[in-house]
Amino acid sequence: MTFKAKALINPDDCLLILIDHQPQMSFGVTSIDRQYLKNNVVALAKTAKLFKIPTILTAVETESFSGYIWPELLDVVRQDPIERTSMNSWDSETLVAAVKASGRKKLIIAALWTEACLLFPTLSAIEDGYEIYMVTDASGGTSPESHDAAVRRMEAAGAHSMTAVTVLLELQRDWARRETYDGVMAIVREHFGAYGMGVDYAYTHVHKAPQRGAFPHKVISTP
C-alpha cells in the first residue's frame, strides 16, 4: 500500500496550473535552456494527464504580445487557455473559480516568468490557504538571479520547490502501481535524458524487450 503522506503530492489531491508558456515569454528566458524548459513543461503536462490530475492552462495578452501557447503543450492538454491581461493570474476570477471548483488545495504551478507570473499567483494563493508546489525547471526567469531570488522569496512564504521528474516519481511512488507504470516509463524515456536512456538499455539488453523505435537498430556484421 502506498503511504499517503501529507507532505507528498498525490493524484487525487493536487491540481496543475501552467501559466504563460508562450513564445514571446520564452524569448525573455535566460535562467534555463529553453529547449530543456519546453521538454520539462511537456513532460509535466503528460504526467498530469497520465495520473488524471486536472490541469488549468492560462495565457496572457496572446494576440497583442505573447503569441500562442506552444503547440507541443496544447497537443497534450487539449483545452482552451484562460486569457488574461494581468501579470498575476490570481487576479483572474475565471482561474480562481476553476481552482475552487476542483476542490483541491495542493497546486502544482509552473510559469513564465518566474519573477512575475509564478511569484505573484504563488504568494496570492498561499494567502488564500493553498499549498503551492512550484516546478522550477518548468519555469524560467529573465536572468538566473531574478529566477533564484523569486524562488527564495516563494520558499520563504511556504511554497515547495520541485522539478518535473520529481513530480512524476512522487506521483508514482510505488512500482507496483501497474496502471501507470508503462505510462511513467514512456515519459521517462521520452523526456528525462540519461534516466530514460538507462531504461531503454535495461529493457532491451537486460530484459530482452523489443526496441521501441519504429525503425529498430539492426546489427549487421562486417566481413
Side-chain angles (χ1 to χ4, degrees), residues 67-85:
Y68 300 116
I69 296 284
W70 302 334
E72 298 90 345
L73 176 56
L74 276 176
D75 281 348
V76 175
V77 178
R78 293 184 176 272
Q79 65 177 251
D80 296 323
I82 296 171
E83 187 70 22
R84 321 181 323 276
T85 58

Side-chain angles (χ1 to χ4, degrees), residues 4 9-15 51-54 104 170-173 177:
K4 189 172 180 178
I9 57 171
N10 303 280
D12 62 354
D13 65 14
C14 61
L15 172 74
F51 286 93
K52 298 180 172 59
I53 295 169
R104 302 185 178 211
E170 193 163 320
L171 290 168
Q172 177 68 21
R173 271 212 303 285
R177 184 178 273 169

Side-chain angles (χ1 to χ4, degrees), residues 4-5 9 15 112 147 156 166 219:
K4 189 172 180 178
I9 57 171
L15 172 74
L112 302 181
H147 171 87
T166 302
V219 179

Side-chain angles (χ1 to χ4, degrees), residues 32-84:
I32 185 173
D33 177 83
R34 282 166 282 193
Q35 188 62 47
Y36 178 58
L37 168 71
K38 180 186 280 188
N39 172 75
N40 293 334
V41 173
V42 173
L44 188 59
K46 289 180 179 179
T47 296
K49 187 173 184 178
L50 174 65
F51 286 93
K52 298 180 172 59
I53 295 169
T55 298
I56 296 174
L57 198 62
T58 186
V60 64
E61 291 289 337
T62 295
E63 295 189 325
S64 64
F65 178 74
S66 299
Y68 300 116
I69 296 284
W70 302 334
E72 298 90 345
L73 176 56
L74 276 176
D75 281 348
V76 175
V77 178
R78 293 184 176 272
Q79 65 177 251
D80 296 323
I82 296 171
E83 187 70 22
R84 321 181 323 276

Side-chain angles (χ1 to χ4, degrees), residues 128-197:
D128 278 351
Y130 290 90
E131 192 172 352
I132 305 301
Y133 296 80
M134 49 185 175
V135 187
T136 56
D137 64 354
S139 306
T142 58
S143 70
E145 182 177 6
S146 193
H147 171 87
D148 293 344
V151 168
R152 291 195 303 270
R153 185 176 171 190
M154 289 182 282
E155 288 176 337
H160 311 282
S161 292
M162 300 183 77
T163 63
V165 72
T166 302
V167 173
L168 178 68
L169 297 179
E170 193 163 320
L171 290 168
Q172 177 68 21
R173 271 212 303 285
D174 188 338
W175 296 121
R177 184 178 273 169
R178 303 308 300 180
E179 67 273 17
T180 51
Y181 180 89
D182 289 339
V184 167
M185 288 295 99
I187 293 170
V188 164
R189 290 186 290 182
E190 182 71 21
H191 292 281
F192 291 124
Y195 181 13
M197 295 174 199

